[in-house]
């Protein structure tokens, strides 16, 4: 009917959305499937706290979307995102990597193009389980690759968790891994796996693990029935992203109880309640009993040379974890690599045994104890390959064996914790917490030099190049600065700035619903005259930000050291830059007119934490609030000296960075004349032709004598004169052609007059005619 009324097509296309908008405005709250449109209030992540029934924010003020499931499928109708009725059915199809579309009432939803007909479709989701491993109802992502016969296989080496962690860190990364005898690359951006030997390519897909509405309800009820509700800090001690209720047999010590903040009774808490971050127990019958000498056993266990500890009567053997015929176990707090911001976590150290029986700690990136522990937490069955010196090794995390790939020699490997006595634990609880501050805030890190922590101001502590801190900073720096040498790295110890930084972190965590806040180590290059003011009073963009404010009026930090290098002082060949801890939190695209981060909800009540140059892969961060920054290290460096064999680019960098001095004149020495010794010639005996050639005399007698040449008595006729155009005038600079033999001595002229001038080469024809 509308077509017959000759209404334009574009107006008819807009009528549907106009009608929907009218219905949304006129309908009561909660009686429509409409969700906020794309824009300032557009939410792309589902609130975990709402899923677990603990969000205290109203929907319009919450950062996340409020849905009863950890996923939501929506279609864009006009300018509004509308929830699809078949959301759970679409999710079930999407979780199957073989399926590329899902049939619903309004048509097929295509997963490759995320469309339904001509309409856009999107999927909202809860946060990835690798980013929040301790929460319920996160999204567990699985990774698959397609065989040549069309079957989809889930990755097991590398694991799904390892791939998802890489994807969350850098979605543009290209990974390389080995499976069997083949080496492959995996582009996380293009979702393509390539065999490096044969160049065969396979499709890769990333799909979530399916949770039906019934599964979600079971998780909610089972957690509530066992007292597993979210604590005041928003954390459920599930560990590793597993969705489980508090076990009767607990194998992890509660961090909150260690720090005096656990609000759950022992029977409802997911973790065990002990005063130390470790506990040694023996199985007596069906009951685990605490050993009285737990601290002494722990001290022996932390020494990689020791394989058993003698207590009371019998020895506790660490290799078999037995005490006589009884089983023994060790309970521990969570690994420090999984909860790096908490006190009293367990720091695991890795050692290898050399041929002399000495145990050496892994401390060189990329195989430091911290990095090996991270790989162990991601996949305890992984086989790590690394290079040390000129040798290549493999390290089996499962068998704890290091193997030299060239010679096949094997070394034992041990993973042991760093020892903490009960006195050390008490010091951590008391001395490392600021007075009247939040319980999880450290007064200063435990690795600081306690003798150089002034109450006011700062101290720079020089790091040893063999220390773990030095190696970590060096690794970050050399990722983009290979043509430079590090002169020194200093740790900045400023208690006042550290307290501000810690308090800011806790406040941001509270505003974030108890979730951890994103923190990065970033570079900042500046003029040498600003170094001490920054160390003392932190960054101030009004003083340091003199190089532009294209992303806002704040302090700028870079992911890459090479970018910050361009803002360092050129007055000297030795330059400096800061490596800072920055609480980047939730970020958005910056703008030159920003004097603070923009609002998330358009109400000036909830703001982003920082601005960046790119939402997808940020490399520049702008922070507007100084307590979000702690200048942790001052790195001093210089260009490498030019050496023979360096690349041309390295030589040019070294030459450009070196100062140009006045050249010193080189005095060329006079070579000494060495007289050549005169060798007296040996006389050669003369022989007659007859002696040399028999019969020569007879032959010469028969040879007629040659005629003697005599000049003709009369002069030869003059040659014809060439045309004037071909006869150049005589040159005044040539005495042979113009002046004849003037200037010769008399003797020379007489001698020249008797010569046959026609037979002398190189004499001009005019001279020949003149003399003849």
């Amino acid at each position: 009917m509308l077509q017959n009324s000759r209404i334009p097509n574009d107006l008819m296309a807009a009528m549907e959305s106009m009608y929907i908008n009218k219905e949304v405005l006129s309908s009561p709250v909660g009686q429509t499937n409409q969700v906020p449109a794309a824009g300032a209030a557009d939410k792309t992540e589902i609130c975990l706290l709402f899923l677990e029934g603990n969000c205290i924010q109203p929907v319009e003020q919450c950062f996340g979307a409020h849905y009863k499931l950890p996923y939501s499928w929506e279609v864009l109708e006009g300018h509004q995102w509308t929830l699809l009725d078949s959301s759970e059915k679409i999710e079930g199809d999407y979780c199957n990597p073989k399926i590329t579309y899902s049939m619903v009432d309004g048509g097929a939803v295509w997963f490759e193009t995320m469309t339904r007909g001509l309409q856009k479709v999107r999927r909202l989701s809860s946060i990835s389980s690798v980013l929040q491993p301790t929460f319920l109802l996160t999204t567990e992502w699985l990774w698959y690759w397609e065989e040549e016969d069309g079957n989809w296989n889930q990755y097991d080496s590398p694991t799904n968790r390892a791939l998802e962690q890489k994807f969350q860190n850098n979605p543009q990364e290209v990974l390389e891994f080995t499976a069997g005898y083949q080496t492959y690359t995996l582009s996380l951006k293009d979702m393509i796996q390539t065999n490096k030997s044969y160049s065969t390519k396979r499709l890769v897909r990333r799909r979530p693990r399916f949770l039906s509405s019934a599964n979600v309800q079971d998780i909610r009820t089972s957690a509530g029935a066992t007292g597993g509700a979210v604590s005041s800090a928003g954390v459920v001690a599930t560990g590793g992203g597993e969705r489980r209720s508090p076990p009767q047999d607990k194998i992890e010590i509660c961090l909150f109880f260690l720090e005096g903040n656990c609000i759950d009774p022992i029977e409802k808490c997911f973790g065990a309640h002990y005063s130390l971050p470790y506990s040694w127990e023996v199985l007596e019958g069906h009951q685990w009993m605490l050993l009285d000498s737990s601290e002494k056993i722990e001290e022996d266990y932390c020494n990689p040379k020791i394989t058993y500890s003698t207590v009371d009567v019998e020895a506790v053997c660490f290799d078999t974890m037995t005490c006589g015929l009884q089983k023994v176990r060790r309970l521990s707090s969570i690994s420090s690599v999984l909860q790096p911001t908490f006190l009293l976590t367990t720091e695991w150290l890795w050692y290898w045994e050399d041929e002399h029986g000495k145990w050496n700690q892994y401390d060189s990136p990329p195989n430091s104890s911290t990095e090996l522990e991270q790989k162990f937490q991601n996949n305890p069955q992984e086989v790590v390959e690394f290079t040390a010196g000129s040798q290549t090794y493999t390290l089996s995390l499962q068998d704890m064996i290091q193997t030299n790939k060239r010679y096949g020699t094997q070394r034992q490997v041990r993973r042991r914790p760093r020892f903490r006595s009960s006195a050390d634990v008490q010091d951590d609880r008391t001395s490392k917490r600021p007075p009247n501050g939040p319980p999880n805030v450290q007064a200063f890190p435990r690795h600081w030099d306690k003798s150089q922590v002034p109450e006011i101001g700062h101290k720079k502590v020089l790091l040893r190049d063999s220390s773990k801190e030095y190696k970590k900073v060096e690794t970050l720096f050399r990722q983009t600065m290979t043509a430079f040498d590090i002169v020194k790295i200093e740790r900045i110890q400023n208690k006042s700035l550290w307290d501000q930084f810690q308090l800011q972190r806790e406040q941001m965590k509270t505003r974030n619903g108890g979730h951890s806040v994103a923190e990065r180590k970033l570079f900042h290059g500046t003029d040498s005259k600003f170094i001490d003011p920054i160390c003392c009073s932190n960054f101030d963009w009004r003083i340091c930000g003199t190089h532009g404010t294209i992303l806002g009026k704040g302090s700028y930090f870079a992911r890459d050291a090479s970018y910050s290098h361009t803002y360092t002082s050129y007055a000297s060949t030795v330059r400096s830059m800061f490596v800072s801890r920055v609480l980047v939190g939730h970020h958005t695209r910056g703008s030159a007119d920003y004097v603070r981060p923009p609002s998330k909800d358009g109400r000036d009540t909830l703001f982003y934490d920082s601005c960046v140059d790119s939402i997808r892969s940020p490399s520049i961060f702008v922070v507007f609030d100084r307590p979000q920054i702690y200048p942790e290290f001052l790195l001093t460096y210089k260009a490498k000296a030019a050496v023979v064999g360096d690349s041309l680019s390295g030589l040019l960098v070294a030459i450009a960075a070196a100062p140009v001095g006045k050249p010193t004149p080189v005095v060329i020495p006079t070579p000494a004349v060495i007289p050549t010794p005169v060798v007296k010639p040996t006389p050669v005996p003369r022989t007659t032709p007859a002696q040399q050639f028999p019969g020569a005399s007879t032959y010469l007698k028969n040879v007629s004598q040659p005629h003697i040449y005599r000049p003709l008595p009369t002069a030869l006729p003059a040659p014809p004169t060439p045309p004037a155009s071909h006869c150049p005038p005589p040159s005044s600079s040539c005495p042979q052609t113009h002046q004849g033999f003037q200037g010769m001595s008399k003797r020379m002229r007489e001698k020249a007059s008797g010569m046959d001038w026609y037979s002398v080469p190189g004499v001009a024809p005019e001279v020949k005619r003149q003399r003849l």
Side-chain angles (χ1 to χ4, degrees):
M1 183 178 69
L2 292 176
Q3 291 177 345
N4 295 334
S5 61
R6 298 182 180 180
I7 297 176
N9 292 333
D10 55 348
L11 182 58
M12 284 193 295
M15 281 185 174
E16 181 180 0
S17 61
M18 293 165 61
Y19 175 77
I20 292 173
N21 291 339
K22 176 179 177 297
E23 290 298 314
V24 170
L25 293 173
S26 60
S27 62
V29 177
Q31 295 185 7
T32 177
N33 286 334
Q34 299 297 323
V35 296
D42 189 29
K43 302 170 184 180
T44 58
E45 189 174 285
I46 297 175
C47 176
L48 280 178
L49 296 179
F50 179 81
L51 285 171
E52 298 172 358
N54 298 288
C55 185
I56 62 174
Q57 299 287 342
V59 62
E60 64 274 3
Q61 294 183 7
C62 185
F63 176 72
H66 284 192
Y67 291 108
K68 62 181 181 180
L69 296 175
Y71 50 83
S72 169
W73 287 86
E74 301 173 352
V75 61
L76 184 62
E77 296 185 344
H79 298 286
Q80 290 285 337
W81 286 103
T82 304
L83 181 65
L84 288 168
D85 294 330
S86 306
S87 192
E88 186 172 343
K89 193 265 182 186
I90 300 171
E91 179 75 6
D93 292 336
Y94 182 66
C95 292
N96 187 338
K98 297 180 181 180
I99 298 178
T100 59
Y101 66 92
S102 179
M103 289 299 301
V104 292
D105 296 337
V109 173
W110 293 89
F111 302 139
E112 299 296 332
T113 59
M114 293 300 282
T115 56
R116 188 188 69 173
L118 299 178
Q119 295 173 302
K120 290 184 178 180
V121 172
R122 71 174 182 180
R123 176 185 183 272
L124 271 62
S125 171
S126 60
I127 195 169
S128 174
S129 59
V130 303
L131 298 180
Q132 289 291 352
T134 58
F135 271 79
L136 299 173
L137 298 175
T138 53
T139 299
E140 181 183 1
W141 290 93
L142 307 177
W143 290 71
Y144 303 87
W145 62 278
E146 186 183 27
E147 287 184 343
E148 59 272 10
D149 56 3
N151 288 327
W152 288 87
N153 302 282
Q154 189 175 324
Y155 281 93
D156 54 6
S157 180
T159 62
N160 288 285
R161 182 178 178 82
L163 288 175
E164 180 63 18
Q165 188 70 62
K166 294 282 188 182
F167 180 81
Q168 293 294 335
N169 291 338
N170 182 11
Q172 315 296 324
E173 188 173 357
V174 178
L175 307 178
E176 185 171 313
F177 64 93
T178 301
Y181 298 100
Q182 300 298 324
T183 302
Y184 302 87
T185 60
L186 170 55
S187 171
L188 302 184
K189 179 182 178 182
D190 303 324
M191 289 294 181
I192 294 293
Q193 173 186 293
T194 306
N195 185 304
K196 294 191 71 176
S197 299
Y198 302 104
S199 299
T200 53
K201 296 181 183 295
R202 306 292 183 198
L203 287 173
V204 175
R205 283 180 183 157
R206 171 181 175 259
R207 296 291 172 87
R209 186 185 296 278
F210 179 62
L211 286 175
S212 67
S213 55
N215 297 145
V216 173
Q217 187 60 31
D218 288 344
I219 293 170
R220 287 197 184 102
T221 54
S222 61
T226 55
V230 180
S231 67
S232 60
V235 176
V236 179
T238 56
E242 298 178 1
R243 301 174 174 90
R244 56 185 176 87
S245 59
Q248 296 297 322
D249 187 24
K250 302 170 184 179
I251 57 174
E252 189 174 282
I253 296 175
C254 175
L255 281 177
F256 292 102
F257 180 82
L258 285 171
E259 299 175 0
N261 302 291
C262 185
I263 63 173
D264 292 323
I266 185 171
E267 64 275 4
K268 292 186 177 181
C269 184
F270 278 79
H273 285 191
Y274 290 108
S275 59
L276 295 176
Y278 51 84
S279 170
W280 286 86
E281 302 175 348
V282 61
L283 184 62
E284 296 185 352
H286 298 284
Q287 187 75 25
W288 287 102
M289 304 297 294
L290 180 66
L291 287 168
D292 295 331
S293 306
S294 192
E295 186 172 342
K296 197 268 181 184
I297 299 172
E298 179 74 7
E299 184 176 4
D300 291 338
Y301 182 66
C302 292
N303 188 337
K305 297 180 182 179
I306 299 178
T307 57
Y308 65 91
S309 178
T310 303
V311 295
D312 298 334
V313 180
E314 296 188 84
V316 173
C317 180
F318 300 140
D319 291 333
T320 60
M321 292 301 282
T322 56
C323 179
L325 298 177
Q326 295 174 298
K327 290 183 178 181
V328 172
R329 72 175 183 179
R330 177 185 182 272
L331 271 61
S332 170
S333 61
I334 194 169
S335 174
S336 58
V337 301
L338 299 180
Q339 290 290 354
T341 60
F342 273 78
L343 295 172
L344 301 176
T345 53
T346 299
E347 181 183 2
W348 290 94
L349 306 177
W350 289 70
Y351 303 88
W352 63 277
E353 184 183 28
D354 61 20
E355 62 273 15
H356 307 294
K358 180 182 177 183
W359 288 89
N360 306 277
Q361 185 180 332
Y362 288 95
D363 57 4
S364 299
N367 289 291
S368 64
S369 291
T370 302
E371 287 155 320
L372 287 175
E373 179 64 19
Q374 186 69 64
K375 293 175 182 177
F376 180 81
Q377 293 294 335
N378 289 338
N379 181 13
Q381 279 78 42
E382 186 176 356
V383 177
V384 180
E385 184 170 313
F386 64 95
T387 301
S390 59
Q391 301 297 322
T392 303
Y393 302 87
T394 59
L395 170 55
S396 171
L397 304 183
Q398 181 178 14
D399 302 326
M400 291 293 179
I401 294 293
Q402 173 187 293
T403 305
N404 185 303
K405 293 191 70 175
R406 182 177 181 183
Y407 300 106
T409 54
Q410 294 187 332
R411 305 292 183 196
Q412 286 192 47
V413 176
R414 282 181 183 159
R415 171 181 176 258
R416 296 291 173 87
R418 187 186 295 279
F419 178 63
R420 278 181 175 176
S421 65
S422 55
D424 294 332
V425 172
Q426 187 61 27
D427 288 343
D428 288 340
R429 288 196 181 104
T430 57
S431 64
K432 296 188 177 180
R433 184 176 301 149
N436 303 321
N440 290 331
V441 174
Q442 299 176 349
F444 54 83
R446 58 177 175 263
H447 60 270
W448 277 18
D449 185 347
K450 298 180 180 63
S451 64
Q452 300 194 58
V453 185
E455 287 298 322
I456 300 175
H458 72 283
K459 288 287 186 181
K460 298 189 187 83
V461 179
L462 184 65
L463 300 183
R464 291 179 291 109
D465 57 5
S466 60
S467 68
K468 184 188 302 183
E469 285 181 287
Y470 187 100
K471 296 293 185 184
K472 287 183 178 179
V473 178
E474 181 186 28
T475 301
L476 286 175
F477 178 77
R478 294 206 183 281
Q479 287 177 357
T480 56
M481 296 285 282
T482 56
F484 294 83
D485 286 327
I486 296 176
V487 177
K488 62 181 177 179
I489 300 176
E490 297 169 287
R491 184 201 307 126
I492 301 166
Q493 298 190 172
N494 188 320
K495 186 175 181 297
S496 175
L497 295 185
W498 179 256
D499 289 348
Q500 295 174 27
F501 180 76
Q502 290 285 82
L503 290 171
Q504 180 72 16
R505 176 196 282 153
E506 289 302 311
Q507 291 173 8
M508 292 174 65
K509 185 175 179 180
T510 302
R511 291 199 303 266
N512 198 31
H515 301 185
S516 298
V517 179
E519 180 181 325
R520 294 203 182 203
K521 287 194 175 181
L522 303 172
F523 294 94
H524 180 94
T526 188
D527 196 280
S528 57
K529 65 183 179 182
F530 296 130
I531 289 177
D532 283 336
I534 290 173
C535 293
C536 185
S537 305
N538 216 332
F539 292 89
D540 188 339
W541 74 270
R542 295 168 297 180
I543 299 175
C544 306
T546 58
H547 298 286
T549 55
I550 191 172
L551 299 177
K553 296 178 176 64
S555 297
Y556 282 63
F557 296 88
R559 177 193 62 197
D560 303 324
S562 57
Y563 182 86
S564 295
H565 169 70
T566 59
Y567 295 97
T568 57
S569 174
Y570 286 83
S572 173
T573 57
V574 178
R575 306 187 187 188
S576 300
M577 69 171 63
F578 285 94
V579 182
S580 303
R581 290 191 181 203
V582 183
L583 297 170
V584 297
H586 293 109
H587 50 69
T588 188
R589 172 77 182 179
S591 177
D593 58 342
Y594 287 166
V595 294
R596 67 179 183 183
S599 172
K600 291 180 179 178
D601 56 4
R603 298 171 182 262
D604 288 341
T605 57
L606 190 63
F607 297 91
Y608 286 97
D609 301 307
S610 61
C611 292
V612 295
D613 60 332
S614 169
I615 298 293
R616 185 69 172 170
S617 180
S619 61
I620 302 172
F621 295 80
V622 185
V623 177
F624 301 84
D625 198 356
R626 287 196 293 178
Q628 289 179 231
I629 312 162
Y630 181 76
E632 189 171 18
F633 300 103
L634 179 63
L635 188 151
T636 306
Y637 63 100
K638 64 179 180 179
K640 288 184 178 179
V643 294
V644 177
D646 279 354
S647 64
L648 179 59
S649 60
L651 288 173
L652 292 176
V653 170
I655 292 170
V660 180
K662 183 177 180 180
T664 304
V666 179
V667 180
I668 301 175
T670 305
V673 179
I674 302 175
T676 304
V678 179
V679 181
K680 185 177 180 181
T682 303
V684 180
R686 300 182 65 182
T687 57
T688 61
Q691 293 173 337
Q692 289 184 339
F693 306 100
S697 301
T698 306
Y699 174 78
L700 292 174
K701 289 180 181 179
N702 298 326
V703 176
S704 58
Q705 296 294 325
H707 296 283
I708 298 174
Y709 175 78
R710 302 180 189 280
L712 295 175
T714 59
L716 292 173
T721 303
S725 59
H726 297 284
C727 185
S731 173
S732 60
S733 61
C734 183
Q736 286 86 350
T737 59
H738 185 64
Q739 297 178 349
F741 292 92
Q742 295 182 10
M744 286 188 178
S745 65
K746 179 180 179 183
R747 184 176 180 181
M748 292 177 65
R749 287 196 301 271
E750 291 176 352
K751 185 176 182 180
S753 63
M755 293 180 64
D756 182 8
W757 291 99
Y758 276 101
S759 64
V760 178
V763 179
E766 296 85 350
V767 177
K768 293 180 180 181
R769 289 194 298 273
Q770 180 183 1
R771 304 316 301 166
L772 296 175

